[in-house]
Amino acid sequence: MSRAFLIVMDSVGIGGAPDAGAFFNDGRPDTGANTLGHIAQARPLRLPVLDGLGLGAAVRLASGSDAPGLGATPQGLWGAATELSRGKDTPSGHWEIAGVPVPWDWTYFPDTNPAFPPDVTARICELAGTAGILGNAHASGTQVIDDFGAEHLRSGWPICYTSADSVLQIAAHEQAFGLDRLIALCRDLSPMLHAMRVGRVIARPFLGQPGDFRRTGNRRDFAIAPPGDTILDIAQGAGRVTHAVGKIGDIFSHRGITHLHKGADDAALADHLVRLGTQAEPGSLTFANFVEFDTNFGHRRDIAGYAGQLEWFDDVAGRFIATLSPGDLAIFTADHGNDPSWSGTDHTRERVPVLGWGLGLRTVGQVGFSDIGASVMAHLGLAAPAHGRSFL
């Protein structure tokens, strides 16, 4: 029985979103943002596996420009996908890929200080048992712990911040504040935020001392549940085994998931993916997210680091593909952009690549995010989600 593997390279956009002008970074519209293209212009990339499937061709299709170092003649399934949901965030992208476009406008917190309304701040203080919070503004996740970490250790107050995404993040020291306490705080706060149509409450634990604070791998996302059946729900409902690698479980509120595979970093997640290439059951669906493109390099505007991560992942993709069997389908895609050459520190509105192994050369052209999930279901012989049309 055929297996399917859906791998999201978090934030690896390829430019060209037709509505990019409606989305902004530090006051600048996202028109012209191109995560992969601009990285390649700064440093030509060596991605023989992904480019061999059709990555360079997908960049040209999406944005009309070449990516230096890429441009091999495609040998796999390739195209570019455009998002309908009104967001450039993780839940919007993943849900729509899984067949459920977001039917509402997300709530975003203003770029002011304070950013959070008084009732939200009061609820955080009540749950945390503190007299106040730190931060309360738009901030970079790594910079905010450098700015407020020492005061957090002195006062015990949680560090709360947001971004251009529909999110409230809470950072706290794993030992001084307590990891379980931080996770419980975020879990118990999330119903209030979800009722406001805020997409996620994220626990951001860190360790260390002033001058040497480091985020740990114990992040937890508490995301609002998708408003319809995703491909995970459909597959599990049909009796298929589903594997969630990385933060997929959190993104989908742990719905439709048989086995969860977590790790401290993308290297650990790569080990899970390669193992599942050998061990995943006949007829199963494996859904994976590799987040460090986004968190470690996109938001930090680190072009060289992002380039290195892409080349590392290309090697992972090669090792993973080598484990697959005839009849399997593997699709590599992304959920949004995060152009490290752009202004600000937030995601960028872009098209994303659609690269497939297992069906030979096949040009699918411009498709929608939901068409990816519909195609995965068609390959598995399962019912299609409510949105999307198979390009197979």
Side-chain angles (χ1 to χ4, degrees):
M1 189 182 293
S2 298
R3 305 182 300 172
F5 299 82
L6 180 54
I7 301 105
V8 176
M9 304 176 291
D10 202 301
S11 85
V12 182
I14 53 175
D19 58 356
F23 297 82
F24 293 84
N25 248 296
D26 199 25
R28 177 188 182 187
D30 285 346
T31 305
N34 187 338
T35 300
L36 197 66
H38 289 158
I39 293 170
Q41 288 173 12
R43 202 203 85 179
L45 295 167
R46 292 187 65 259
L47 307 174
V49 176
L50 296 174
D51 193 31
L53 294 176
L55 181 56
V59 175
R60 286 194 299 275
L61 176 65
S63 65
S65 60
D66 290 326
L70 306 181
T73 300
Q75 301 298 316
L77 178 154
W78 68 276
T82 303
E83 185 173 12
L84 295 177
S85 301
R86 296 183 294 273
K88 52 176 180 175
D89 54 85
T90 294
S92 296
H94 282 77
W95 290 4
E96 189 168 329
I97 288 168
V100 184
V102 179
W104 56 66
D105 288 324
W106 295 108
T107 294
Y108 301 94
F109 295 111
D111 192 1
T112 57
N113 196 333
F116 306 124
D119 58 335
V120 170
T121 301
R123 180 60 173 159
I124 296 170
C125 293
E126 177 187 1
L127 293 171
T130 60
I133 64 174
L134 302 173
N136 203 347
H138 282 231
S140 159
T142 51
Q143 187 64 46
V144 77
I145 62 175
D146 288 340
D147 291 344
F148 294 101
E151 188 176 351
H152 166 71
L153 291 177
R154 288 193 300 270
S155 67
W157 292 7
I159 304 169
C160 304
Y161 61 102
T162 187
S163 69
D165 291 339
S166 180
V167 65
L168 191 156
Q169 306 197 58
I170 303 180
H173 197 279
E174 280 196 7
Q175 296 172 342
F177 189 87
L179 177 60
D180 290 344
R181 181 184 174 198
L182 172 62
I183 291 173
L185 167 60
C186 294
R187 182 193 63 230
D188 295 343
L189 178 66
S190 62
M192 176 186 189
L193 275 293
H194 293 167
M196 297 168 58
R197 297 300 191 210
V198 175
R200 287 179 294 167
V201 178
I202 304 179
R204 286 289 199 174
F206 64 94
L207 287 171
Q209 298 298 323
D212 185 31
F213 289 122
R214 304 173 308 280
R215 294 201 295 197
T216 75
N218 293 319
R219 162 182 171 161
R220 283 287 304 275
D221 291 43
F222 294 91
I224 190 170
D229 285 344
T230 71
I231 61 174
L232 290 165
D233 297 314
I234 295 167
Q236 189 179 62
R240 304 294 182 90
V241 176
T242 60
H243 296 276
V245 179
K247 65 177 187 176
I248 294 297
D250 291 334
I251 294 167
F252 290 94
S253 297
H254 296 274
R255 234 176 53 191
I257 294 166
T258 310
H259 300 294
L260 183 63
H261 309 270
K262 301 282 279 186
D265 52 26
D266 275 6
L269 301 182
D271 290 341
H272 287 311
L273 181 63
V274 172
R275 175 178 53 79
L276 287 168
T278 300
Q279 298 179 2
E281 299 81 357
S284 62
L285 168 61
T286 296
F287 200 165
N289 171 281
F290 286 83
V291 73
E292 290 182 355
F293 302 105
D294 187 53
T295 56
N296 289 3
F297 308 109
H299 287 300
R300 299 182 190 183
R301 297 301 186 247
D302 181 353
I303 295 173
Y306 206 129
Q309 187 75 0
L310 284 164
E311 292 177 346
W312 169 82
F313 184 78
D314 192 76
D315 178 71
V316 171
R319 290 192 287 120
F320 162 66
I321 287 172
T323 68
L324 300 181
S325 303
D328 290 340
L329 173 66
I331 292 181
F332 298 87
T333 188
D335 52 344
H336 50 72
N338 198 344
D339 189 339
S341 74
W342 216 243
S343 58
T345 60
D346 295 314
H347 298 153
T348 43
R349 178 76 165 185
E350 302 178 42
R351 288 184 167 118
V352 300
V354 180
L355 309 172
W357 179 95
L359 299 176
L361 175 60
R362 185 176 300 209
T363 303
V364 300
Q366 295 277 12
V367 299
F369 275 32
S370 290
D371 297 338
I372 300 170
S375 301
V376 168
M377 292 291 97
H379 177 75
L380 292 174
L382 297 176
H387 299 272
R389 183 175 63 181
S390 172
F391 47 66
L392 302 187

